[in-house]
Structure formats: structure tokens, C-alpha cells
Amino acid sequence: MSEISPGWPLFEVFLRGKRGLNHVHVGSLHAADPEMALHHARDLYTRRNEGVSIWVVRAADITASSPDEKDPFFAPSGDKVYRHPTFYAIPDDVPHM
Amino acid sequence: MTTVQEQEQEQDLEAHFDDTISRMNRIEPRDWMPDAYRATMIRQIAQHAHSEIIGMQPEGNWITRAPSLRRKAILLAKVQDEAGHGMYLYSAAETLGADRADLTEKLISSRQKYSSIFNYPTLTYADVGVIGWLVDGAAICNQVPLCRSSYGPYGRAMIRICKEESFHQRQGYELLLTMMRGTQAQRDMVQDATDRYWWPSLMMFGPPDANSPNTEQSMRWGVKRHTNDELRQRFVDMTVPQAEKLGVTLPDPDLRWNPGRGHHDFGPVDWAEFKAVVAGNGPCNAQRLARRKAAHDEGAWVREAALAHAAKSQADQGERTRPSAGGLHV
């Protein structure tokens, strides 16, 4: 290990590309504190006007689901086809539906 | 000891991984992956990140000597982009469990490599243009297919990088066009820089396919989409008309269009030189690493001071305790 450990903590960066859009995860960076993380995020992820708003959050503070698609965590929505509009047969000549 | 049950579980996971790859789906950070895939991705991404970081130096040398304010602003922006590209890539490597400080340490201690091209010196301002045109042009050839890399975070970093590389190549070519419209001495500089950078640019694609033992596995994993020789050929075919338009001669007497193949034939690359540079014996290897190490060492107090400031601010606010490193990647 190098002498910079314990290093600056890891922050995940989320950008709003323009008004009307959600913040989207774009990557991560290291910074000593949240304020510095914001400045670094501006320099690193918005050099070409890619964002109008930035969120940074400590990576350690994120709780995530298990990544495996087969995870039973998502099973409850798997067998509920009736939640989708295509489940319902409507005659072709019914307008505006 | 591994039980039969654990072995079966591992086989299931591996089958799921192979299936994901074969459906051209992406592998994401917390997915199960074979140890060899993880190690290969870390090595490849780290080597790429190191190349971006070391790549700041050859051109960075010219920032203070740029011929105009316009060129200086452009060069500053470009070198800043290289730093950014390195950061995107270190960030991607960290999603695989690599530690950024550890990667820096491995670069400085020569335990991980970077692209051989950055071990050549930049002797004149024309080199800045030729690096943009040829070196970044070759990098684009290499990198565009990597946008479809099977490892999600790497592919996403490459998309971002490729968008920015286009500016790099175009500013270089425009710089050269400007010089070619200048004096004979300026035209000579452009030709000289082309002569020096042409062969090292071809070496950027790596050894010939016959001597590239990892290519097959990398192609199977979707880590690599084309072979070294395919990309090298693509680069030569792309570059020849650009050289003609520019009015420079590419320094290869064997370079000619082959209508039978539908490609340009070109002469043999000096692989002995390539091996020597990769092994650490290029013109600038020692200088590049020494500079990187000095920057790291000289920045140590800033990193420490920032941490101390953060800790003090937090204590003042009575909020959280001290910051913790590492954590979850999304």
C-alpha cells in the first residue's frame, strides 16, 4: 500500500444532464469531503456542459440490491403479467385505447 | 477444501456468466465473474488508465511554449482531458475491487505498464499535432470497439472517452494543416514529426496476432472485439488519405494500395524496438516514471492536509466520524 492510505473516501457521482431529466449515475471519484467531491465532480464529469446539477454521495452510504438477475428479490413482479397493458385483449376497432 | 456442492455451484455461476457474455449482455460490478476475467479486466483497465496519466507528460511539456494563446488553451484542455480519462478508468477499475492508491503504487514501481508510445520524446511543436493526429487516431481505432466491452463500467468509460478523443485528433490535424500552410521550415517539422511517430503509432496496436497469446481468450470474453492486426490495418487504411491531404510522406517504402486485398500493404514493424521500449529501455521511460513519482510525492501533503481539514470540519460540526475508504460500487 502507498502512503496515501487511508486515502480520500470514494464518492459516487450523479448528474442531471438538463432540466426535465433525472440525475443519472456517471461514475465515481475520491475526495476528502463532500464539498471537494462536488468540485472534483464538476471538473471530471462536466467539462463540456454535461450537467446542470450534481449529486455526490459516499459510496459507503449506498445500499444496493444483489446484482444477480435470478435473485428472488425481483420475483414478485415476474408473474404479474396483468400489470401490463398488453395483457388485455381489446378489439382493434375500439378507438383511442 | 472445496466440496462437490461448492464445485457445482461454481459451475452454475460460470454457466450464467458465459451465457451473459454470449448474449452480448454486460457484466456489472457485483456479478459473479471468473477470477481470471476479473484479473484481466483490472490489468487492462489499469494499464489504460496509467497510459492516460503518463500521456499527459509528452504534450504537457509544450504548454508553456505554445505558439499562441489559442494553441495554449487547446493544449491545456487536451491535457486536462487526459487526466480525466485516467480518472474515469481508475474509477472503472475500482468497481472490480482494485484500490486506486495501490494502482498508482504499481505504476510508479513499474509493476504495471502503460502504452509504449509515451516513452518517445516530443522534440518540436509539430509533435503536438502529430500526437493528436496519429497517436490519438490510433487510440480511437483501439478504443471505439472497447465501447462494447463486456465489462459495463469499462464500456461506459470508453464511450465518454471516445467522445472527447475526437476533439484531440481534430485539433492535432488542424494544427498540422496550419503548419503545412506556413514556411518550409514548418513543413519540414511536420514531416520530421511524422517520420518519428509513424512506426511507434503502429506499435500501439500491440504485437502481431501470431505473438499475442491473450487475444483468443480476450475475444471469447468480449473484452476485445478485433485482433491487433485487424485494428492496425484499419488504422493504416484510414491514415493514408489523411497523410496525402496533409502533404506529408509516411516513412514506409513498402506502403502501397493492394487492390487484391482491398487494403494497403505496409512494411514490417520493428518489434525488437517495441520489446525494448516495453521492457523499459525506450528514450523516456525513466524520465516519465520519475516525473509521475515526483508529482505523487509532492502532492502527498495536499492529500493529507485535505483529509485533516475534512476531519476537523466534521468534528466542528459534530456530525459523522472520520471518513472511511472503500465501500459499495454501483
Side-chain angles (χ1 to χ4, degrees), chain B residues 5-45:
Chain B
Q5 207 179 8
E6 280 170 345
Q7 277 177 0
E8 280 175 0
Q9 208 172 27
E10 176 118 349
Q11 280 166 3
D12 276 358
L13 290 167
E14 184 134 18
H16 182 58
F17 172 86
D18 290 342
D19 184 50
T20 304
I21 300 247
S22 68
R23 284 185 288 118
M24 301 287 279
N25 259 342
R26 300 295 190 262
I27 304 298
E28 293 296 343
R30 293 163 74 233
D31 289 340
W32 183 92
M33 60 188 89
D35 291 344
Y37 177 88
R38 185 184 299 275
T40 298
M41 287 318 304
I42 291 178
R43 192 181 58 241
Q44 182 176 337
I45 298 173

Side-chain angles (χ1 to χ4, degrees), chain B residues 52 85 88-89 143 157-165:
Chain B
E52 301 283 357
H85 296 176
Y88 304 153
L89 290 162
Q143 290 171 355
M158 291 316 308
I159 289 170
R160 194 172 277 277
I161 288 172
C162 284
K163 279 184 192 164
E164 299 181 354
E165 288 289 354

Side-chain angles (χ1 to χ4, degrees), chain B residues 173-226:
Chain B
Y173 196 76
E174 187 232 38
L175 188 165
L176 297 176
L177 281 173
T178 308
M179 286 185 81
M180 292 302 281
R181 288 194 298 266
T183 64
Q184 186 57 43
Q186 286 175 312
R187 281 189 286 278
D188 292 345
M189 278 167 69
V190 175
Q191 183 62 56
D192 171 63
T194 304
D195 290 347
R196 283 181 288 109
Y197 272 95
W198 173 247
W199 291 107
S201 298
L202 294 190
M203 295 175 196
M204 285 175 67
F205 297 93
D209 294 346
N211 297 329
S212 178
N214 298 327
T215 292
E216 199 193 326
Q217 176 64 276
S218 293
M219 302 267 285
R220 238 180 323 122
W221 274 337
V223 167
K224 208 168 169 172
R225 298 289 185 188
H226 305 280

Side-chain angles (χ1 to χ4, degrees), chain B residues 312-330:
Chain B
K312 186 171 180 298
S313 309
Q314 275 186 0
D316 290 349
Q317 288 173 12
E319 281 185 2
R320 295 175 195 169
T321 47
R322 66 190 298 279
S324 60
L328 181 68
H329 304 278
V330 289

